[in-house]
């Protein structure tokens, strides 16, 4: 795969990951975004917030 295609793929992957993390969509990762993402992951895994695992 040529370097330009590799870079395009990495850019797209980063954009997808950033979009998932930037919960409020303001283009900045803030503490609230990270906590909201963690809560979504815990909920998806069926782990209640406040449990020792979370």
């Amino acid at each position: 795969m040529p370097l330009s295609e590799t870079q395009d793929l990495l850019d797209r992957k980063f954009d997808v990951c950033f979009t998932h993390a930037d919960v409020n969509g303001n283009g900045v990762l803030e503490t609230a975004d990270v906590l909201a993402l963690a809560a979504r992951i815990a909920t998806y895994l069926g782990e209640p917030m406040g449990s020792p695992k979370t």
Side-chain angles (χ1 to χ4, degrees):
M1 180 180 294
L3 182 58
S4 63
E5 287 181 30
T6 302
Q7 188 62 48
D8 289 343
L9 177 61
L10 292 174
D11 288 345
R12 287 194 313 266
K13 286 182 176 185
F14 181 79
D15 287 343
V16 168
C17 291
F18 187 86
T19 300
H20 283 293
D22 184 19
V23 176
N24 64 7
N26 70 350
V28 179
L29 291 181
E30 301 166 318
T31 302
D33 293 321
V34 175
L35 293 174
L37 178 60
R40 286 190 352 230
I41 291 169
T43 299
Y44 174 79
L45 295 174
E47 195 64 40
M49 292 306 291
S51 75
K53 284 184 177 181
T54 57

